[in-house]
C-alpha cells in the first residue's frame, strides 16, 4: 500500500515533455484508463516477461525514456554500457528496476515507449496484445506466485511427513551405465541436474524439423536467435504464473509441458517436486501429488481420487477430507500423457452430460481417465492446479482442455551442454575431455541439445578417456562415435527382436530414400512400405511427432537427428545381401550439388574402417567384404580427381569433402596413395570449422611433399589452429591472412616453427588480430628457417616491435622480408629498429607504411637505411612526415645502387 501513497507526485513531471501517442494505438488509449495503482499492478505482473521482451531493443527504450527526462544521461549510459558488453539481460533488468523506483509517471512513459518499440520486438508485441485483450481490470494482474494460506494445525504433521517422503523419493537420481559392470549408479539429484531451457509456448512441428536439418554452430545460432527474438523462456517455478496464462480461469490453473523423447520431462518433474519438498518453489501449494501415467496403467478397475492418493501416499489416512477443503493449495502432476493406455478425449461432450463419465467428488468411483480429465477441467476440486507432461504426439488430446499455460522444453542451449557433462562425470578431467571431443565435432555438438544424447555420448566416450585406456582406442571419427551410439542401443535392446540386421536393412532403405528426397518425416504408410512395425526397439531410432495440422490423430515419425538418419542409410549399404553397384550409387550421390548426401558419403567411407564396423558386426553379423573394397576404390578415385581443382569455391569444397572421406576411413595406405605427393593446397575464402582443420591435419600428416598451404580468410581461430599445430612445420609457404588467430594462436604457431624439422620460409599473418603480447613468441623463431614474415595490419605497437628488434640483431637471423604495415608504430620504436638493423646481414625488404612515424624519427630511419647494407626496399608511405622529412629520406636512394625508398 506504500505504493499508492507515492502515486500522486513524480519528481520528473514538472520538466517532462509530453510524448505524441502512436496513431491508432489502442494500447496508448488503454493507458489513459489505468489509474496509477492499476499501472503499478500491470508493470509488476509483466515485469519478468518484459525483461526478456526488451532485451533486443533495450537501448532504444532507454533512449526514449532519456529523451522524456525520465532517465538521466548517466543512467542511460549505464544501461547501454551493459548492453555493449553483451549483458543484455542485466541491461533490461536495470532499466526496469530504475522505472519501478522512479514511480508512476516513469511507468506510464515506459509503457508509451514500449508501444513505439513493439513492431521490432516480437515478444513485446505479444505482451502488448495481451494487455489489449485483458483490459484495465486490476484483478487480472495478480500473480499466482503468492504466499501459502495458513495451514490448519491438525494438518501440519501430515504435511511434514509428505514433504519428507517426497524429498526422500526425489533427492537421488538413478542413472543407467551400460558400459561398466555396475548397471545402475545412484547420484544426488542436485549434483546431476542441469538446467534446461523451457519456452512458454509449443512450437509447430516445422520448427522441430528445422532443428533436425541444422548442424553445429548454425543450429546453435538459430536457437539463440529465436530465443532472443520470439521464444519466451520460462522457469519451472513460473509455470503457474498468470502472466503466462493463455486463458483466464476462475477455478484453477492447468499447465502442459511438451518435449521430444529424451529431452528431460520426467527429470524436470522430479526436480520440481524436490524443490517444492525442500521449500524452494511454490510456497502457495500446501500439498503436491505426483503421478506417472505409466504407473496409472496398472489400475484396471474403477477407483476414486482418495484411494489413488492413498495407494501412493498411505500416511494421509483419514485427513484427506480436510485437505480437499483448500483446493487452491493443491498441485497435481501427471507425467507422460503419451504413455497412458486410455485415451482422454477433452472434446467428448458426454463427459459433461453423462453421469458415468462425470467425476466431481474425490470420493466418487470412476475410471482413472475420468479423474485426470476432471482435475484438468476443474470439475473435480475446482481451484486446484494441474501439470501434465507429454511428448508432442499426445498434445492433440489436450487441445480442448482447460490449459492455462503451454510450455515446451527446448533442451540445452549454449553452456548448458557443458554443465551437463561436468555433472555427468565425477572426474572433471574426463568431463572436460568428453566435452572437448563433442564441441570439436559440429554434428555431435548439435545433437547435445537433447540430454539423452549427452547421456549416450557420455557413455560412449567416457570409458575411452580413462587414464588406463590406450589412447588409440578413443573414437577418432564421427563414424566411430555413431557406431558406438548404435552399439549401445543394440546391446540394450537387440534381444527384443530376432534379426536386428533385417530391421536395420529395412530401416536403412527407408532412411536412404528420405535422404534422397530430402524427407525427414515418415508416416505409417512409409513403415508399411518397408515392412516395419513400431516397436520398443524401433523407438531407439525413430521418435514420434504429432501432425499438428490434422484434426484427427495423426502420428508421424522422424529420426532424432538428421545425422542418425544419414548414418542408418549408410549402414544399410553394408548390410545389403548379394552384389550391388555401390560405386554407381555413391557417384550419383556425389553428383548432387546441394549437399544432401555430404554426411551420408562420409559415413559410408567411415564404415569401411574396421574400427567403425567392428562394434556393429557383433550384433549385425560381418559386413560384406566386397562392398567395403568397392567403397575404398571409390574414395580413391574421388580424392585423386579433386586434388588441385581449387579455382572456385566448389573446387575448394569438393577436395575438402574428399579429405573427410579419407579421415573417416582412417585408411593410412589409401591416404598416402592419394595425397602423399601433393605440393599445394589452397582453401582461401572457405570457412573451415575445427573438425575441418582436424581433417586437414590428418591429410597433411600423411603428405611428405607439401610446399604451399593457403588458408587465407578461412575463419580459423585459435581452436582451428590447435588442430593444425603439429603438421604446419612441413610447409614451406604458409598463408594465414585474415584469420582471427590472436596472440594465443601465435603461441601455437611458434611451437610449430620451433620444430627441428620446420621448413616454413614464408609466413603471412596479415590481419590476424595480433598485439604486443605475442611479440616474444614471434621473436623466438627469427633464428629458424623463416625468411619472409608479413605482420601487416595488426596491433603490435612500439613495445612489440622493440621485442622483435632484439631478434633481428641475432647473427643467425635469416629474415629477408619483414612487413609491419599499419601496426600502430610511432617514433618511439624507430631508434630500436635502426640499432637492430645496423648489424643485420639478411634483411632486403622492410615495410613500415601507414604507421605514425613523423619527422622526429627521420634521423633514426636515415641511419637504418645507411647502415643496413642488405636493404634494397623500405616502404614508408602513409606516415606523418612533412615534405621536408620525405625529401630527406628519398634523397638516400642515390646512396646505393638498387636502393628504393617508397614515400
Amino acid at each position: 500500500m506504500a505504493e499508492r501513497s507515492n502515486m500522486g507526485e513524480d519528481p520528473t513531471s514538472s520538466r517532462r515533455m509530453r510524448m505524441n501517442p502512436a496513431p491508432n494505438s489502442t494500447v496508448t488509449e488503454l493507458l489513459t484508463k489505468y489509474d496509477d495503482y492499476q499501472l503499478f499492478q500491470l508493470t509488476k505482473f509483466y515485469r519478468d516477461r518484459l525483461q526478456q521482451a526488451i532485451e533486443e531493443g533495450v537501448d532504444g527504450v532507454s533512449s526514449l525514456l532519456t529523451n522524456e527526462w525520465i532517465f538521466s544521461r548517466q543512467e542511460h549510459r549505464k544501461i547501454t554500457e551493459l548492453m555493449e558488453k553483451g549483458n543484455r539481460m542485466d541491461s533490461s533488468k536495470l532499466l526496469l528496476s530504475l522505472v519501478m523506483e522512479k514511480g508512476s509517471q516513469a511507468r506510464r512513459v515506459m509503457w508509451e515507449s514500449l508501444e513505439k518499440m513493439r513492431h521490432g520486438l516480437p515478444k513485446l508485441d505479444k505482451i502488448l496484445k495481451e494487455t489489449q485483450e485483458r483490459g484495465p481490470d486490476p484483478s487480472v494482474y495478480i500473480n499466482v506466485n503468492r504466499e501459502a494460506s495458513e495451514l490448519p494445525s491438525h494438518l501440519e504433521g501430515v504435511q511434514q511427513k509428505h514433504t519428507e517422503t517426497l524429498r526422500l523419493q526425489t533427492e537421488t537420481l538413478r542413472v543407467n551405465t551400460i558400459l561398466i559392470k555396475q548397471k545402475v549408479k545412484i547420484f544426488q539429484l542436485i549434483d546431476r541436474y542441469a538446467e534446461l531451457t523451457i519456452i512458454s509456448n509449443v512450437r509447430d512441428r516445422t520448427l522441430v524439423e528445422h532443428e533436425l536439418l541444422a548442424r553445429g554452430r548454425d543450429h546453435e545460432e538459430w536457437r539463440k536467435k529465436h530465443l532472443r527474438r520470439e521464444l519466451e523462456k520460462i522457469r519451472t517455478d513460473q509455470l503457474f504464473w498468470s502472466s503466462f496464462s493463455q486463458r483466464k480461469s476462475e477455478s484453477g490453473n492447468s499447465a502442459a509441458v511438451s518435449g521430444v523423447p529424451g529431452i528431460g520431462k520426467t527429470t524436470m518433474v522430479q526436480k520440481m517436486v524436490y524443490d517444492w519438498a525442500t521449500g524452494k518453489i511454490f510456497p502457495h501449494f500446501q500439498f503436491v501429488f505426483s503421478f506417472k501415467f505409466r504407473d496409472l496403467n496398472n489400475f484396471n478397475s474403477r477407483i476414486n481420487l482418495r484411494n489413488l492418493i492413498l495407494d501412493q501416499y498411505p500416511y494421509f489416512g483419514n485427513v484427506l477430507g480436510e485437505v480437499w477443503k483448500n483446493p487452491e493449495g493443491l498441485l497435481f502432476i501427471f507425467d507422460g500423457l503419451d504413455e497412458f493406455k486410455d485415451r482422454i478425449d477433452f472434446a467428448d461432450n458426454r463427459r459433461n452430460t453423462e453421469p458415468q463419465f462425470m467425476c466431481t467428488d474425490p470420493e466418487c468411483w470412476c475410471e482413472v481417465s475420468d479423474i485426470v480429465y476432471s482435475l484438468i477441467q476443474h470439475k473435480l476440486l475446482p481451484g486446484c492446479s494441474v501439470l501434465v507432461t507429454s511428448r508432442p504426439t499426445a498434445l492433440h488430446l489436450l487441445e480442448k482442455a482447460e490449459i492455462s499455460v503451454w510450455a515446451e522444453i527446448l533442451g540445452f542451449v549454449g553452456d548448458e551442454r557443458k554443465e551437463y557433462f561436468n555433472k555427468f562425470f565425477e572426474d572433471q578431467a574426463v568431463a572436460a575431455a568428453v566435452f572437448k571431443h563433442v564441441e570439436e565435432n559440429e554434428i555431435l555438438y548439435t545433437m547435445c541439445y537433447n540430454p539423452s544424447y549427452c547421456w549416450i555420448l557420455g557413455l560412449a566416450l567416457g570409458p575411452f578417456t580413462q587414464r588406463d585406456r590406450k589412447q588409440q582406442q578413443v573414437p577418432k571419427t564421427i563414424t566411430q562415435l555413431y557406431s558406438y551410439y548404435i552399439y549401445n542401443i543394440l546391446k540394450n535392446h537387440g534381444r527384443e527382436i530376432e534379426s536386428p540386421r533385417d530391421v536395420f536393412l529395412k530401416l536403412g532403405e527407408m532412411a536412404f530414400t528420405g535422404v534422397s528426397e530430402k524427407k525427414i518425416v515418415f508416416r505409417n504408410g512409409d513403415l508399411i512400405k518397408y515392412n516395419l512395425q513400431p516397436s520398443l526397439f524401433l523407438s531407439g531410432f525413430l521418435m514420434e511427432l504429432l501432425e499438428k495440422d490434422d484434426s484427427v490423430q495423426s502420428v508421424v515419425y522422424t529420426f532424432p537427428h538428421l545425422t542418425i538418419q544419414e548414418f542408418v542409410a549408410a549402414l544399410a549399404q553394408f548390410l545389403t545381401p548379394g552384389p550391388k553397384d555401390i560405386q554407381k550409387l555413391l557417384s550419383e550421390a556425389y553428383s548432387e550439388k546441394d549437399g544432401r548426401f555430404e554426411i551420408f558419403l562420409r559415413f559410408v567411407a567411415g564404415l569401411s574402417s574396421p574400427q567403425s564396423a567392428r562394434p556393429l558386426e557383433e550384433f549385425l553379423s560381418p559386413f560384406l567384404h566386397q562392398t567395403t573394397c568397392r567403397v575404398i576404390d571409390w574414395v580413391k578415385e574421388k580424392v585423386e580427381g579433386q586434388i588441385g581443382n581449387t579455382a572456385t569455391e566448389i573446387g575448394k569444397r569438393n577436395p575438402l569433402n574428399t579429405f573427410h572421406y579419407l579421415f573417416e576411413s582412417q585408411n593410412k595406405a589409401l591416404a598416402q596413395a592419394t595425397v602423399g605427393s601433393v605440393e599445394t593446397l589452397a582453401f582461401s575464402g572457405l570457412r573451415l570449422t575445427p573438425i575441418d582443420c582436424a581433417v586437414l591435419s590428418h591429410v597433411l600428416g600423411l603428405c611428405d611433399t607439401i610446399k604451399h598451404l593457403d588458408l587465407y580468410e578461412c575463419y580459423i581461430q585459435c581452436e582451428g589452429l590447435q588442430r593444425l599445430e603439429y603438421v604446419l612445420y612441413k610447409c614451406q609457404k604458409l598463408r594465414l591472412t585474415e584469420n582471427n588467430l590472436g596472440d594465443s594462436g601465435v603461441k601455437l604457431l611458434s611451437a610449430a616453427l620451433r620444430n627441428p624439422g620446420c621448413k616454413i620460409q614464408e609466413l603471412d599473418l596479415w590481419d590476424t588480430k595480433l598485439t604486443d603480447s605475442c611479440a616474444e613468441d614471434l621473436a623466438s623463431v627469427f633464428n629458424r628457417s623463416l625468411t619472409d614474415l608479413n605482420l601487416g595490419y595488426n596491433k603490435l605497437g612500439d613495445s612489440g616491435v622493440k621485442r622483435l628488434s632484439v631478434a633481428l640483431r641475432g647473427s643467425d637471423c635469416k629474415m629477408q622480408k619483414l612487413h609491419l604495415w599499419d601496426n600502430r608504430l610511432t617514433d618511439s620504436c624507430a631508434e630500436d629498429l635502426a640499432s637492430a638493423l645496423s648489424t643485420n646481414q639478411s634483411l632486403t625488404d622492410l615495410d613500415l607504411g601507414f604507421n605514425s612515424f613523423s619527422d622526429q624519427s627521420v634521423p633514426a630511419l636515415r641511419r637504418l637505411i645507411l647502415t643496413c647494407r642488405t636493404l634494397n626496399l623500405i616502404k614508408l608511405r602513409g606516415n606523418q612526415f612533412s615534405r621536408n622529412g620525405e625529401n630527406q629520406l628519398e634523397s638516400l636512394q642515390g646512396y646505393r645502387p638498387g636502393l628504393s625508398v617508397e614515400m
Side-chain angles (χ1 to χ4, degrees):
M1 299 301 283
E3 180 65 28
R4 277 188 180 277
S5 63
N6 293 328
M7 295 295 179
E9 292 185 12
D10 191 307
T12 63
S13 60
S14 61
R15 56 188 174 90
R16 176 177 172 269
M17 296 180 292
R18 191 69 187 167
M19 296 176 70
N20 294 321
N24 303 319
S25 170
T26 54
V27 171
T28 303
E29 293 170 3
L30 188 63
L31 287 174
T32 62
K33 300 177 182 178
Y34 285 92
D35 62 29
D36 290 341
Y37 181 67
Q38 289 172 328
L39 193 61
F40 166 72
Q41 290 282 39
L42 174 74
T43 311
K44 183 181 176 184
F45 181 80
Y46 278 117
R47 182 170 177 170
D48 284 287
R49 290 180 64 188
L50 282 174
Q51 184 178 313
Q52 283 189 59
I54 64 174
E55 279 183 20
E56 290 300 295
V58 65
D59 52 336
V61 178
S62 182
S63 293
L64 288 173
L65 289 167
T66 305
N67 291 340
E68 294 299 313
W69 295 13
I70 298 299
F71 287 168
S72 67
R73 296 291 171 190
Q74 186 178 5
E75 289 168 333
H76 174 64
R77 190 158 51 249
K78 284 182 180 179
I79 290 169
T80 54
E81 282 175 357
L82 282 171
M83 185 203 69
E84 288 165 0
K85 290 177 182 177
N87 300 327
R88 289 184 176 272
M89 184 185 300
D90 292 338
S91 181
S92 61
K93 189 175 183 178
L94 175 60
L95 184 146
L96 285 162
S97 295
L98 288 171
V99 167
M100 293 301 281
E101 288 172 7
K102 289 176 180 291
S104 60
Q105 195 64 32
R107 287 189 281 275
R108 198 167 293 276
V109 176
M110 181 192 72
W111 282 97
E112 291 175 0
S113 302
L114 296 179
E115 170 63 25
K116 288 188 172 184
M117 296 287 296
R118 70 186 297 177
H119 298 298
L121 302 170
K123 294 181 191 176
L124 178 59
D125 187 58
K126 179 181 177 182
I127 291 172
L128 294 180
K129 284 177 180 176
E130 287 179 15
T131 62
Q132 292 168 226
E133 293 169 2
R134 284 172 162 159
D137 181 1
S139 66
V140 174
Y141 303 111
I142 300 175
N143 266 323
V144 176
N145 190 31
R146 58 189 181 270
E147 293 299 319
S149 57
E150 188 174 348
L151 184 71
S153 58
H154 58 279
L155 291 180
E156 289 176 359
V158 74
Q159 186 192 59
Q160 185 176 352
K161 172 69 175 175
H162 188 53
T163 55
E164 180 64 14
T165 299
L166 292 183
R167 183 187 66 78
L168 291 172
Q169 287 178 352
T170 58
E171 67 182 355
T172 57
L173 192 65
R174 294 171 60 85
V175 178
N176 294 321
T177 57
I178 294 180
L179 293 180
I180 57 180
K181 293 179 181 178
Q182 187 179 3
K183 293 183 178 180
V184 176
K185 290 187 75 173
I186 298 175
F187 299 91
Q188 291 297 308
L189 176 67
I190 56 174
D191 293 337
R192 299 281 291 196
Y193 188 78
E195 288 297 330
L196 294 157
T197 291
I198 305 172
I199 54 174
S200 64
N201 62 319
V202 179
R203 299 171 301 158
D204 186 83
R205 176 169 59 81
T206 55
L207 291 180
V208 180
E209 289 177 35
H210 183 108
E211 286 193 359
L212 297 175
L213 290 166
R215 290 192 177 98
R217 307 298 167 185
D218 291 338
H219 172 271
E220 185 66 8
E221 284 304 309
W222 179 85
R223 288 162 72 84
K224 286 181 178 177
K225 175 185 173 185
H226 282 264
L227 270 176
R228 285 196 306 265
R229 285 189 50 79
E230 297 170 23
L231 305 179
E232 287 190 87
K233 291 182 71 171
I234 179 173
R235 301 192 310 267
T236 50
D237 64 318
Q238 295 174 326
L239 283 171
F240 297 99
W241 281 25
S242 52
S243 70
F244 285 103
S245 297
Q246 296 185 9
R247 67 169 78 199
K248 183 179 177 181
S249 174
E250 300 292 340
S251 54
N253 292 283
S254 295
V257 177
S258 168
V260 297
I263 205 71
K265 299 182 293 296
T266 298
T267 309
M268 178 204 73
V269 165
Q270 181 177 342
K271 182 63 162 53
M272 285 175 64
V273 174
Y274 176 79
D275 285 346
W276 175 81
T278 53
K280 295 175 183 174
I281 62 172
F282 301 146
H284 55 288
F285 292 132
Q286 295 174 345
F287 296 97
V288 171
F289 301 106
S290 181
F291 301 94
K292 289 183 172 65
F293 275 105
R294 70 179 71 160
D295 296 332
L296 297 180
N297 289 335
N298 296 326
F299 293 98
N300 296 315
S301 58
R302 297 169 76 84
I303 194 171
N304 58 24
L305 181 59
R306 169 186 288 278
N307 287 334
L308 197 63
I309 291 174
L310 291 177
D311 179 76
Q312 193 158 318
Y313 309 107
Y315 45 81
F316 274 89
N318 296 321
V319 302
L320 281 175
E322 291 294 317
V323 171
W324 309 142
K325 291 180 180 179
N326 182 31
E328 289 80 7
L330 305 180
L331 169 62
F332 292 90
I333 299 176
F334 295 98
D335 181 33
L337 176 63
D338 50 282
E339 297 178 349
F340 193 37
K341 66 179 181 181
D342 296 330
R343 176 185 172 89
I344 308 177
D345 190 352
F346 287 85
D348 187 352
N349 288 326
R350 292 181 303 164
R351 290 188 175 276
N352 301 321
T353 57
E354 299 183 19
Q356 67 268 32
F357 295 110
M358 297 171 68
C359 182
T360 58
D361 189 321
E363 310 289 339
C364 177
W365 291 80
C366 51
E367 300 294 334
V368 172
S369 60
D370 298 329
I371 295 174
V372 176
Y373 170 89
S374 299
L375 285 170
I376 293 173
Q377 295 298 80
H378 314 301
K379 297 180 182 301
L380 175 60
L381 298 179
C384 74
S385 296
V386 183
L387 171 65
V388 181
T389 73
S390 174
R391 291 184 182 186
T393 45
L395 279 183
H396 65 289
L397 297 172
L398 296 171
E399 285 180 359
K400 301 295 184 181
E402 294 284 332
I403 301 297
S404 307
V405 176
W406 293 88
E408 179 186 352
I409 301 178
L410 203 59
F412 294 145
V413 175
D415 289 341
E416 292 166 353
R417 294 170 169 87
K418 187 174 183 179
E419 180 192 357
Y420 179 93
F421 286 109
N422 287 342
K423 292 187 173 183
F424 185 92
F425 295 103
E426 296 175 17
D427 186 336
Q428 289 304 291
V430 174
V434 170
F435 181 70
K436 182 172 178 286
H437 212 116
V438 169
E439 193 175 28
E440 289 169 2
N441 188 311
E442 291 205 11
I443 294 170
L444 297 177
Y445 187 76
T446 307
M447 291 176 61
C448 282
Y449 77 91
N450 190 315
S452 64
Y453 292 109
C454 292
W455 173 75
I456 289 167
L457 288 166
L459 292 174
L461 291 174
F464 296 100
T465 59
Q466 304 294 340
R467 293 185 182 90
D468 58 342
R469 287 294 190 113
K470 295 179 181 179
Q471 188 64 29
Q472 65 263 28
Q473 290 181 311
V474 177
K476 297 177 182 178
T477 69
I478 306 171
T479 311
Q480 289 170 16
L481 286 164
Y482 275 58
S483 292
Y484 280 106
Y485 161 65
I486 299 295
Y487 170 83
N488 281 332
I489 296 177
L490 287 167
K491 188 174 181 180
N492 284 273
H493 299 292
R495 296 182 185 86
E496 294 167 4
I497 54 172
E498 290 183 7
S499 178
R501 185 183 181 108
D502 290 344
V503 173
F504 257 100
L505 180 57
K506 296 169 186 175
L507 188 63
E509 289 173 349
M510 186 178 81
F512 180 79
T513 301
V515 175
S516 304
E517 300 173 359
K518 286 190 171 182
K519 178 179 178 179
I520 63 173
V521 175
F522 303 93
R523 302 176 185 279
N524 282 316
D526 295 305
L527 268 63
I528 293 169
K529 178 180 177 181
Y530 292 95
N531 198 22
L532 290 166
Q533 294 290 332
S535 64
L536 185 60
F537 175 74
L538 205 60
S539 69
F541 309 95
L542 287 176
M543 67 180 189
E544 301 172 338
L545 292 174
L546 177 68
E547 185 83 278
K548 211 173 178 186
D549 300 333
D550 291 354
S551 56
V552 297
Q553 182 178 2
S554 178
V555 174
V556 294
Y557 303 88
T558 187
F559 290 84
H561 196 268
L562 174 60
T563 50
I564 295 176
Q565 178 178 335
E566 291 164 322
F567 183 86
V568 173
L571 180 56
Q573 309 310 314
F574 294 85
L575 304 178
T576 303
K580 183 177 181 180
D581 195 348
I582 183 71
Q583 289 168 306
K584 180 182 178 183
L585 180 145
L586 297 178
S587 294
E588 289 174 353
Y590 185 83
S591 66
E592 292 287 350
K593 300 304 180 187
D594 59 8
R596 73 181 72 179
F597 287 108
E598 184 177 307
I599 304 299
F600 163 80
L601 290 170
R602 293 182 191 180
F603 282 141
V604 171
L607 285 167
S608 69
S609 160
Q611 191 172 350
S612 296
R614 197 174 296 118
L616 299 173
E617 288 177 328
E618 182 180 331
F619 293 95
L620 303 178
S621 302
F623 292 177
L624 291 178
H625 180 68
Q626 187 179 27
T627 300
T628 300
C629 292
R630 289 179 177 178
V631 168
I632 292 171
D633 290 341
W634 180 85
V635 171
K636 182 175 186 293
E637 174 193 330
K638 279 293 168 269
V639 176
E640 290 175 340
Q642 293 299 336
I643 293 295
N645 179 25
T646 57
T648 64
E649 183 173 345
I650 293 177
K652 294 165 188 169
R653 174 59 66 186
N654 285 341
L656 185 61
N657 280 335
T658 61
F659 289 170
H660 274 276
Y661 306 156
L662 287 178
F663 177 70
E664 291 297 322
S665 73
Q666 291 290 297
N667 189 325
K668 186 176 180 180
L670 175 62
Q672 287 180 328
T674 51
V675 298
S677 58
V678 170
E679 293 188 356
T680 300
L681 289 174
F683 297 101
S684 56
L686 193 66
R687 185 182 289 270
L688 300 182
T689 66
I691 191 68
D692 290 332
C693 293
V695 167
L696 187 55
S697 177
H698 173 76
V699 170
L700 288 170
L702 299 171
C703 179
D704 297 323
T705 55
I706 186 71
K707 291 182 179 178
H708 181 197
L709 178 62
D710 185 356
L711 300 178
Y712 161 68
E713 202 179 14
C714 287
Y715 304 91
I716 295 174
Q717 298 186 356
C718 183
E719 188 182 353
L721 193 65
Q722 202 169 7
R723 308 292 162 269
L724 293 162
E725 175 187 355
Y726 302 105
V727 294
L728 293 177
Y729 74 93
K730 303 176 79 170
C731 310
Q732 293 179 18
K733 183 177 180 181
L734 178 58
R735 192 183 186 202
L736 292 168
T737 313
E738 294 189 28
N739 286 293
N740 189 16
L741 304 182
D743 298 331
S744 54
V746 167
K747 187 177 288 291
L748 294 171
L749 191 58
S750 64
L753 286 160
R754 286 194 294 270
N755 187 298
C758 182
K759 300 176 182 178
I760 298 176
Q761 297 175 6
E762 297 181 38
L763 177 60
D764 192 341
L765 295 174
W766 170 281
D767 189 15
T768 47
K769 308 297 184 289
L770 309 184
T771 73
D772 60 340
S773 297
C774 73
E776 206 69 55
D777 294 302
L778 285 170
S780 69
V781 298
F782 271 33
N783 60 347
R784 299 288 175 175
S785 58
L786 207 56
T787 59
D788 187 337
L789 178 60
N790 189 346
L791 296 171
Y793 202 55
N794 282 294
K795 299 175 183 177
L796 294 176
D798 295 331
S799 58
V801 169
K802 286 178 182 179
R803 293 192 185 104
L804 296 183
S805 298
V806 175
L808 287 169
R809 287 196 188 97
S811 59
D812 53 354
C813 176
K814 301 179 180 66
M815 194 69 65
Q816 296 175 14
K817 297 179 181 181
L818 180 61
H819 306 269
L820 295 169
W821 188 93
D822 194 3
N823 256 281
R824 302 188 177 184
L825 308 184
T826 72
D827 298 325
S828 297
C829 71
E831 193 64 49
D832 295 284
L833 280 169
S835 175
L837 293 175
S838 64
T839 58
N840 184 281
Q841 300 298 314
S842 61
L843 197 70
T844 60
D845 291 22
L846 178 63
D847 186 353
L848 298 174
F850 287 88
N851 284 291
S852 298
F853 294 113
S854 69
D855 288 356
Q856 184 180 336
S857 62
V858 168
L861 292 173
R862 281 177 59 85
R863 190 164 66 258
L864 182 158
I865 294 168
L866 292 172
T867 57
C868 187
R869 298 290 181 178
T870 55
L871 192 67
N872 294 325
L873 173 64
I874 182 169
K875 296 179 180 180
L876 293 166
R877 67 182 62 174
N879 280 286
Q880 298 173 10
F881 301 114
S882 67
R883 186 59 194 154
N884 178 51
E886 289 180 356
N887 289 337
Q888 288 187 56
L889 293 167
E890 284 181 323
S891 67
L892 297 175
Q893 292 187 107
Y895 172 74
R896 189 171 68 244
L899 176 65
S900 177
V901 180
E902 291 186 5
M903 303 299 298

